[in-house]
Amino acid sequence: MNIIFMGPPGAGKGTQAERIVDEFKVPHISTGDAFRLAMKQGTPLGVEAKKYVDQGLLVPDEITIGIVRERLSQPDCDTGFLLDGFPRTISQAEALDQIASELNKKIDHVINLSVDRNLLLARLTGRRICKSCGATYHILFNPPAQELVCDKCSGELYQRSDDTEEKVGTRLDEYINKTAPLLEYYRNQGILREVNGEQEINTVTAQISSLLRGLA
Ligand code: ADP
Ligand code: AMP
């Protein structure tokens, strides 16, 4: 099954992806994670991406599309994949359709998580991530049992440098201007499904799971 998670920054895509890939046994492909890894390693891709990520701006399409093209060609995507944070522009969506057709694949489901802008700010500024395994927490809405320690692997939790109030504003504007128009693109293809991302984490997971199983 080939799935896309859409929604503004902080809607819960990563949180839900962690759970859904466990259930459906497909690789979780996050372009944001790919850029953060490259930035940490200081590769040429990371150096280039950092110029944009640090400002809360989208990385140029050519760079982002290249990463996804390479990743989807790997054998573990043969039985399906979950794209989280890609596509984010109409050009990326058109490129994805092209890549999929070259690889004899098609997108089966686009799940859109909707959350009000005011709540997104609280979610993003309170987000904490495990340095070791990447698990996502929230200081108020989904805290770990022990402060700043990952429940799953005991790794140390950190705050993303782009999860500050100032950068969140730019990121949400980028979403409105460049990514939100994609909803229409997928609605026209008849594969867009809406889920209210403001509900409790387990409720959102259960609704996505039902949709993907064709039960809702
Ligand atoms: P995205 O990947 O869409 O940017 P995340 O999954 O990282 O979003 O979630 C953003 C923040 O909101 C995290 O701190 C996460 O723990 C929290 N969060 C995610 N889903 C919910 C929810 N349904 N209710 C409350 N908090 C949530
Ligand atoms: P995320 O982890 O999805 O919140 O992404 C973090 C940052 O990575 C974004 O603010 C962008 O700078 C960059 N990024 C991630 N995915 C994309 C994409 N599909 N297109 C352009 N930039 C992206």
Side-chain angles (χ1 to χ4, degrees), residues 8-15 123 127 136-138 141 197 199-201:
K13 302 181 294 296
T15 301
R123 282 198 183 178
R127 172 160 65 184
T136 301
Y137 297 87
H138 190 282
F141 307 146
Q199 305 172 97
E200 207 265 318
I201 293 178

Side-chain angles (χ1 to χ4, degrees), residues 9 13 30-33 35-36 52-53 56-61 64 84-88 92 127 160 162 171:
K13 302 181 294 296
S30 156
T31 40
D33 284 351
F35 288 134
R36 279 185 291 279
Y52 303 92
V53 175
L57 298 171
L58 292 186
V59 175
D61 286 338
T64 313
D84 158 10
F86 183 95
R88 266 169 144 116
Q92 291 180 13
R127 172 160 65 184
R160 272 171 51 174
D162 59 348
R171 289 163 61 204

Side-chain angles (χ1 to χ4, degrees), residues 24-35:
F24 290 87
K25 311 286 176 224
V26 291
H28 173 197
I29 302 174
S30 156
T31 40
D33 284 351
F35 288 134

Side-chain angles (χ1 to χ4, degrees), residues 16 22 30 38 63 70 143 146 160 188 193 207-208 215:
Q16 296 302 329
D22 256 8
S30 156
I63 301 177
E70 195 185 314
Q146 201 186 331
R160 272 171 51 174
N188 289 339
R193 303 299 299 266
Q207 290 188 0
I208 296 174
L215 301 173

Side-chain angles (χ1 to χ4, degrees), residues 5-18 28 30 33 36 84-85 88 113 115 119-120 122-129 134-143 160 163 171 196-205:
F5 278 2
M6 284 201 57
K13 302 181 294 296
T15 301
Q16 296 302 329
E18 276 175 37
H28 173 197
S30 156
D33 284 351
R36 279 185 291 279
D84 158 10
R88 266 169 144 116
L113 295 174
V115 172
L119 186 53
L120 293 172
R123 282 198 183 178
L124 290 168
T125 50
R127 172 160 65 184
R128 299 292 182 272
I129 295 169
T136 301
Y137 297 87
H138 190 282
I139 51 172
L140 302 176
F141 307 146
N142 183 27
R160 272 171 51 174
D163 275 348
R171 289 163 61 204
N196 173 1
E198 294 189 6
Q199 305 172 97
E200 207 265 318
I201 293 178
N202 289 331
T203 310
V204 177
T205 311

Side-chain angles (χ1 to χ4, degrees), residues 39 48-58 161-162 164 166-171 174:
M39 283 160 56
E48 187 60 22
K50 193 170 165 40
K51 296 179 195 163
Y52 303 92
V53 175
D54 277 356
Q55 295 186 68
L57 298 171
L58 292 186
S161 60
D162 59 348
T164 58
E166 178 208 351
K167 288 179 189 161
V168 165
T170 310
R171 289 163 61 204
E174 286 280 82

Side-chain angles (χ1 to χ4, degrees), residues 78-99:
D78 283 352
T79 50
F81 53 80
L82 193 170
L83 280 170
D84 158 10
F86 183 95
R88 266 169 144 116
T89 63
I90 296 280
S91 301
Q92 291 180 13
E94 288 169 351
L96 177 61
D97 283 345
Q98 176 66 32
I99 293 166

